[in-house]
Structures are given as C-alpha cells and as structure tokens.
Amino acid sequence: MGKLIRLELYNFKSYKGHHTLLFGDSYFTSIIGPNGSGKSNSMDAISFVLGIRSSHLRSSHLRDLVYRGRVLRTSTINGDGSATKPGVNGHTNGDAEIDSEDVPESTQERSDPKSAWVMAVYEDDAGDEQFWKRTITSQGASEYRINNQVVNAQQYNESLEAENILIKARNFLVFQGDVEAIASQSPRDLTRLIEQISGSLEYKDQYQRLKEAQDEALENQNYNLNRRRGMNSEIKQFQEQKREADNYARKADEKNDAIVTHILWKLYHFQRVMEESGAEIQKHHEELKEYRRGVEKYEQNLENARKDQAKVGRDVGKVERSIKRKEKEIEEKENALVPITEKIDIVDKNVKRYSTRIAEIARERDSQSNSVKQSSKQLKVVEKAETQWEGEWRKLAEQEGRELSEADLQEYSRTKEEVHKRTSADQTRVSNLTRQQRADEETVNSLKSKVDTLEWHAQNVADEIGAIGERKETADNHVKQTSNEIESKKKTFNQLTSERLRLAQLRTEKDEKLQEVLTKLLEVEDGRKQNEKEVRLKATVSDMKRIFPGVRGRVSELCKPKQKKYGDAVSTVLGRHFDAVVVDTEGTAKDCIRYLRDQRRGQATFIPLETIQVKAINSNLKGMHRGTRMAIDTIDYDNAVERAMLYACGNAIVCDDLATAKYICYDRGVEAKAVTLDGTVIHKGGLMTGGRGREQARRWEDTEVDNLRRLAEKLRNELAALPEGRRHATEEETLQGELTGLEQRLTFAKEEARAHERNLASKQKELSHARREVAVARPNYEGKSQELQELKANLKELQDDVSHVEDEIFADFCQRLSYDNIRVYEAQQGSLQQEGAQKKLEFKTQKTRLENRLRYEQQQLQETQDRIKVLEDRTRQDEALKTELESQKDSTQNELDIANAEVEQLNQELQGNKANFAKKADKVADQRRELQKRSKNIDNTLKAIAGFEGEAQQNAANRYALLRRCKLEDISIPLTEDSGSLDQLPLNGITQGTLDAMDVDEDPDASTAEPAVVQDYGIEIDFNDLDEDLRENSDSKLDDELQEKINSLEGELTKMAPNMRAIDRLEAVETRVKTTDKDYADSMKRAKRAKDDFQEVKEQRFELFNKAFSHISDQIGPIYRDLTRSTTLPMGGQAYLDIEDSDEPYLEGIKYHAMPPLKRFRDMEHLSGGEKTMAALALLFAVHSYQPSPFFVLDEVDAALDNANVAKIANYIRDHAGPGMQFIVISLKTGLFQASEALVGIYRDQTANSSKALTLDLRKYQ
C-alpha cells in the first residue's frame, strides 16, 4: 500500500497563501504546535481534500473554509486596510472568530481571497505519485482534480476507493471527540459502525423491502389456501340443499293452489254482499232526495242569518283593530313624552345650578370690586397727602431760612476752604461714603418695599388658594355625589337592560324554536299524504277513547320505533295490525263495534288484551346474528299493552340487510318471518316480498306530528306568558333620560373641578414663585441693611474727624454768631432738603405698593366677570333648549289627547257593534232550531243508509285486504281479460264514495248525494275456476276447512325449510373454486420467488457483516492487549465483542466488553476516562485493520490519557507503523510526539497573519 508524501494548502482556513506540510518517507509523523496555531486546520485540510463534507469541518459553508484575515479591536487600521500595530492578532475562522464585525467591509473586499485549494500528494505501491486536488471556487463550489485533470465527485471518490480510502466509512480519520463518542456508543450504534465498515449497510433498504414482499406473498398464499378449503365444504353443503329445495317447491305449489281457492271463495261472497247493499243504498237515497226538498227553505234562512252575523262580526273586528292601532300610537306618544319631560327637568336643574353658581361668583366679584375701590381710595388719599405736604414744606423752608452778612459769608467761605485743605482727603472719603450711603439707603428702601409687596402678595395668594381649595372641595363632593348617583342609576339601568335583553333573547329563542317546529310541521304535513280515511279513523279512535275507558288506542299510536331506521321494517312487521285498536276486554271491543255501526263511522280491527292468544317468543332467535334483532325489541311501548305488541310482532326478526335475512332464513333454516330495514320480507315458507313504499312508513310520523303540535302550543303559551317589553322599555327610557342629565351635570361639575384644580395649581405656582422671590429678596435686603449700618459707622467716624477739625477752625466764627458749631448752621440750611427727600421717598414707596395691589385686584375682578359671563351664556342656552322641549311636549300632549278622544269614540262604536252581533247570533240559533225540527226523517233515512254503507264498506275493506295480501305476498289469482293488474292496487287504499257519511248532517247541498261507490281499482276477479258448491256455500265452517288445509301444508313446508338459492349458489361456488385454484397457484409462485430474492440479499448482507465482525472480533483482543500491556503487566487486558443475534446480527446490537489489567469485568460506562479511551482506541484500531487505508490520521486522541497510557499508545503506533500503515498524529503530549519519526510543527506568523509549517526528521537524533 502507498503513503501520503505531502499536503499542499493554498488560502485554506488559517493558511494564507501557499504552504506545504511535508511527511516524506516517515510512517509515524506528529503534527504539533501551540493552541490556536492551526494544527486542527491541517486535519481539516486532509479531510477536505479526501472528500469530507464541510459540515464535518467545523463550517457550515465551503466559503467559510477560505482564508479570511481578522484583526483585534485595538489594532490601528491604515487607509489601505493594513494593520500597522506589531501586536496584531491574526486568528482566522477555524481557530478564533472574534471581532469579525469590527473589520471594515471595504478591507475584506480588498484583501481577502475568494478561492482556496488543498492538494494531497500520494505515492502508490509502484512508486508513482498521484495528485489529488480539491478547490473551492469563487462561487463557493467544489472542483475536483486528479493529476491536474478535472473530474466529477464520483470519479474522485472512485479513485480514492481504489486505494482503499473509504469516504463514507471514514476509515482514515479520527476527529476530536470521536474517541469519546465510540466509548459511549450503544450496542446498536456499534452494529451500525460495523455495517458501514463492512458495506452491508448498502443492502439494508433492499433487505427491508424484500422481507416485506416475502411476508406479503406468504400471507396471500395462506389466504388463498383457506379460501379453497372453505369453498370445497360449501359445495358439499349446497348439493344437499338443492335436493331439499326441489321437494320444497312441489309442496309450495300445492299450498299456493289452496290459498288461491280460499281467497277466491272469500272474494266471491264479499262481492255478492257489496252488490246487495248497493241496491238498498240506492233505494234509500231516492227517498232522501224527497225529504231534502222540504227543508231547503229553512236552510236558506239559516244561511242568510249566518251571512248577516259574519258581516257584523267583520265590523266588530275592524273596529277592534282600529282601537289596537290607536292604543299603540298612544303608548308610543306616552313613551316619547318621558325623555322630553326628563330633559326639561335636567335643564331646570342646570339653570338653577348655574344661577346659584352665578350668585356665588357675583358675591366674590362684589368683594373684589370693593377691594379695588378701597385700593383706589387709598391711592388717592396718599396722592392728596403728598400734595399737601409739598405746600407745607415749601412754606417751612421759607420760614426757617436765616440770612448772613456778606462779611460773614466771606469768612465762612475762607474758613471752609481752610477746613477743606486740612480735611480734603477725609472729606472726599466722607463725600464718597455719603453718596454711597444715599444710594444704599435707596437700595435698602427699595428692597424693603419689594419684600413688603412680595409678602403681601404671597399672603393674598395664600388666602385665594384657601378659597379656591374650598370651592374645589365643594365641586369634588358634587362630582362624587353625582358619580354615585350615576353608578346607582346605571346599575338599575343595566339590570333593566339585562332583563329586557334576557327576555328578548328568550323570546327570540322561543320564536326560533316555534318557527323551527312549524317548519317541521309544514314539511311533515307536506310529505304526508293523509287521506280522508286516516283523518276519519283518527277522529273515530279519539271519540272511542273518550266514550269507552277501556280503549287504549291504535297499535301505531301505542308503539314507536326506537330508531328512525326501523320505521319501514316495523310497519311491515305490524302489517294488518298497524291500525288495529287495542282495548282492555272483549266486551269493550263489542261496544266499540256497536258504536261504529250505529254512528256510521266505518269499521276497525280490535285486539282485546284480556282474551288475545299470544305465543311465547322463541328465545333462540335472540342474538342469532349481530345484524338481527327481534321485532319486539325494536319498538318502545308501555308495559300495559305488551300482550298486544307481542301478538302483533310475533317471532318476526328485523335484519340490517337482505343478505343477513337470506342467511338467517335460507342458510340457517330459521322458521320466522325476516324483515329488512327497507321493508323486504322473507316469509316462514321462504317466499320473498319486495321492498315497501314510503306511504306506510310515513304513518309513523303521525305521532311525531302530534308531538310537534303539542310542542308548538307549549311554545306559544310560553311566549304569551313572557312579560311585555314595553314596560321595561319605558323605565329604561326614563332612566336613560335621567342618566343623560346626570352625565351632563357630571361633565359640568368635572369641568368646574378641573378649572378649580388648574386655578389652584396656577395659584400654588404663583405662591411658590412669590415665596421664592421673598426668600431671595429678604436676604438681599438684610445684607444691604447690614452693609448700610457698617457704612454709617465708617461715615460717622470720618465725620467725627472732620467735625473735630471744623470745630477747631470755626470756633471763633461759631462763637461770634452764637452757633454751637458749624454743623448746626449747615444743618439748619440742609435739614429741610434732607427731610424733604426722605418724605418724597416714603410717598413714592407707598404709591408703588398701592398701584401694584390695584392692578392685581383689577385683574382678579376681570377674571371673575369672565366666569360669570360664561355661566350666563350657558343659562341662556339651556333656557332656549327648555323652551324648545316644552314646545315639543305641548305638541305631543295635544296629539295624545286627540288620540285618546278617538279611542273613546271607537270604544263606543265597538259596544254598539257587539250588541248588534249578539242579536245576529240569536237569530242564527233560532233558524238552526227550526231546521233541526224538520230534519228527523232525513236522520232516520241517513241512519239506514249508513247501516248499508257500513256493511258494504266492511266487505269492501275485506276485499281490499285480501287483494292487498295477494299483492304483498305475491299470490296469483285469476283475473278477467279487462281487469287491471294487482300492481295498480295502492298499499294504503280505502273504500271511497261520493258522499262521506260523517259529513251528511253538515252538507247543505246533500240533496244531490249519490249512494256510496266502492272503489275496485279496476280489478275484476275471474271466478270461473271456483266450484259451484263453493259459490253456494258461505258457511264459516267451510272457511275453517279451507284454512285448515292451508295450515297443514304450511306446517309441512315449515318443517322442511330448504335453502331456495342453493342451485344458484352451487354454480357460483363452483366457478369461484376454479378462480381460487388459479389464484392459489399464482400466489405459491410469487411466494417462492420473493423468498428466493430475500434469501439472496440476506446471505449477501450476512456474509459481508459476518466477515467484518469476525475480523474485528479476532483483532480486538490482541490490539487491546498490546495497548494495555506494560513491563509490570505483560499480559495486558482483555477485550471482546458479544453479538446478540447470531442469525441476523445486523438487526440487533453488539456489546463491547473491555477488562483493563487486574480489573474485574464491568460495563463500559463504569470504566474511568482513560480506560474508556484505551478501549475505544483498541476498537478503532481493530475496525481500521479491516480494509485498512494506507494512512491513518488521529486528531488529539490522547487528550484524556495520562502519561503512562500515552506512552503505551506511542509504543503501539511505533510498533505498527511501517509500509502499508502510515500514522499521522496531531498531539500536544510530549510522550507521544517524541516517539514519532518526523515532526510537522505548526506556528502562527503574526506579521503575515497566517499559519505556517516546519518539518523535522527525528530519525537523525534517535
């Protein structure tokens, strides 16, 4: 086997540019280097060039494998995109992808390469070099080359597999983490690993598919075999049944002849009685015409009286409808008045509230106006005092002035100059300090005036805040009170609304239910085609139930199918008993028959519960088949009428379908009538009658209709009992109006409260500002006052010094003029000016304060007047609204008065019409009594006619029942040539006539009535085959004899019970047997072919897997022993593989057991980390030994091993490295790489921002 000579990389991951990893002729090469240098990238390069996908190379896309430079955030980036700082870190993707977002995009676009490639140079056994090259193009795709020729991926893989380098099995690579994964893998994972190495995994899908095909073929073969066995047994059974069916057919023909004879005998005598009764009825009808002509006059009088009464009744109804319309209009107008009245009350309350508020604000305005007048008055007083003082001051200045001589003045001036010379410096200072004192005094006075004004303003604002707070509290209380009132009203309103909505919803639901019930009634009544006989029969039974307590009702009314699907079947089972009447005793039945005859109400069949003979139910018929049930079990009924239901249903069986019925009657030979859900009947004798129509089934809907009618009546009563919504609507409208007024009042109150709140906030800000100004002005004032006192003290000292000099110089002058000192003279002349200036300052300060106060009070007065104006505008608007509402109220009230007057007038008219209607009703009653007096002869004749009609109808009904039986049971009777077919006979037909006896008394046109005509449906019986002795004899004994003969034949047929379909089924089964034999032969061929195909794939998969497993199992022990032996433990450890399924090992797991030296057996998960790693490496080396690649690359497999185990791994690799087995190891452990033959050192060139490689041959130093 060959070896890997070198690896060339170009712009791959951290390798920038072209680099070569030289392995040379070394069979044990270690790749070493510090962390982050790019060691693992060299492993990725080997994997990449040998066809491993990028997802296994710590990258998601091929472009991520192309070199991309990276710099740290602290690097300085030049204009050309290069990093100039020497400490630049150049980690690439693959090692440390940090701060990639900090690299400018323009830098990457200028310097990063777009493509990369890796080339492996391989030397084969012949010594020829092969160049395998894989390139990442600029589009991010792979390009493959062999010896510089472009090939596709499949050709590339085939070239590698030719050298036993298997990409799918990865038999040449051990990545970081693979050792730990192998050590912790499950038995099934180990099985899959061996399948990948052996190549048996490629047969897995084919194996599974063929196995499923084999199982399916075997199942089909067994199915056809069972079918053939079952059909052979069916053939034997049907052959026996065919013989029984032939004998049964002969007996059935005899029975049919007897039945036809019996029916012809009955029909003949029924028709004879009907003809005789018809003649008598015709005779009495002629008499009836004569009687009717005598009562026509009274009938006409009665009809005229009825018409007059109806006309007056229409007038009464018309007036009543008019009254209702007017009352509705009155109610609507009264309801319309409620919100108008409420709105007027609300407007009145608002006007009163506005007036009260205007009065309060007016008092506040008057107070503010008085304050303005007082301030103006005080200002005028100050101005007047100032004017008066100025006049007095001028007079005083003239009186206090003293005149000096010219010499004294010259002496004064000369002496003053001398004083000035001696005290010029001090006088200058005094002059300066005096000017400063005056300025400071003005400043202090100004600050004092400002402080006083601010304090007064702050006090005034504080008082206003208190007043506003009280008004705000009052407004808040009003808001709270109004809100509580609104909440209470809303709660009541919501309750009324909820109740109204609940009632409306309840009314709507009941309306919808009523409409739904009425719709169903309409649909049912449209779908049902009730004829007159049904209506009359229901009324007759209802009357009998009312007259005779022992009458229970009709069978169809006393029972009901448990499910709708049983309707047709139960109708068919009941048959002629469907309309039978159930009574308690035989006496009650006779009373009912007598009543029917006397009242001319037709005829009916009665079932007396007391004397009816009921046969016991055959319990064997229950649960015979899951698709069958006893007919008595398909209906609901009261226990009191159970005997009648048992009599009507008998042992009849209801089947789900015709097939089930045939199975029960023909295959099982059950002697019972079977009825399917669609009405098809198989009789005890095996005869079958076709499905029934919907007419009979619809009669079940009578009960449903009655229930729907009762439900509709109940819903109408409930709707009528619901309270009217108008009362709640009126209360709701009243509350709605009150709520509207309260909400408007609440809005005004909230607006007023918000205005007070805004005013209060403004005043508080104003007070805070005033206090801040006072806090700023007072320290300034106090500071200036302190400075002024200090200035005065300094000035006084200087003035004392100057005064001392003046006293010394002016001593003679003052003594001569009798002044204490010169200052007295000067004071006399200057005090007046000083006093005047001081007095002017005081007047100015006082005027300024009063003017400021006046302006503020005038501003407050203007705001108050504006508020009053707003309230007055609102008052005017509400008064205008009130006027409009009162106009609407008066208009509505007038219309209401007019409507009440109209109602009163209509009521008077109604009373008159009702009195007239009563008179007309009395007249109708008188005419009816006159008519009844003259109708006795008609009644007697009608009773006679009714008796003959009843007899004729009884015989017609019996005739129809026999014909109906013939049609249902398919009995063929002889008919004349002109006769219609029995198919024309309706299953729900009745005897009809031109006149209904029940309506004779109420038909005013009965004079034209004709005798009842029997409906024969166009069917004419041919009695030629009936013997003469049978025609002449109508005795009931003959009837019993004919019936006994039929029963005897029926008994014989019942005992036979053959399968009438046996012949047809025998032929069908024989045909199916031929087809089944062919299918069975085909299924045997397919099963054999599927089994052969599956065994072939199974053997191939087993052979490949077993070959690999045997090799690995044989190698695992010695390899693990070599890896774990040492000088102290030369025997090493033990390891072996345990297969769970020896027949098909690839379907189950393979357990790997390893026992380190001097350790007992333990599971793999209980071994230490180093022991697991050694066991996993032993397994890897054993697996690699099967179909080994020419080189084996290990990436830091010694990471979890201590030095001793590392030394063992190094010794093992060194011992096995050689031709045919080249080891390339990436390691950081000294104990491993120092034992290698060559070292490939990987280091990081920070300047070039790239990984680089150096190769060192250690064999020179060993």
Side-chain angles (χ1 to χ4, degrees), residues 1132-1145:
Q1134 297 182 11
Y1136 62 92
L1137 297 176
D1138 185 13
I1139 195 169
E1140 295 181 357
D1141 186 354
S1142 58
D1143 293 334
E1144 291 186 275

Side-chain angles (χ1 to χ4, degrees), residues 28-32 39-40 42-43 46-47 170-179 182 1123 1176-1177 1180-1181 1184 1191-1199 1201 1209-1210 1212-1214 1221-1228 1232:
F28 180 13
T29 304
S30 294
I31 300 175
I32 62 175
K39 299 188 306 297
S40 295
S42 62
M43 175 73 169
I46 297 174
S47 304
R170 283 165 47 184
N171 63 339
F172 57 92
L173 292 175
V174 179
F175 285 109
Q176 291 183 12
D178 285 357
V179 176
I182 291 175
L1123 284 175
L1177 286 173
L1180 280 174
F1181 291 145
H1184 182 266
F1191 50 84
F1192 201 25
V1193 184
L1194 306 175
D1195 187 4
E1196 297 188 17
V1197 297
D1198 55 352
L1201 298 178
I1209 294 295
Y1212 178 84
I1213 294 175
R1214 190 175 183 87
M1221 180 59 71
Q1222 178 186 10
F1223 286 93
I1224 300 174
V1225 181
I1226 299 175
S1227 176
L1228 292 175
L1232 180 60

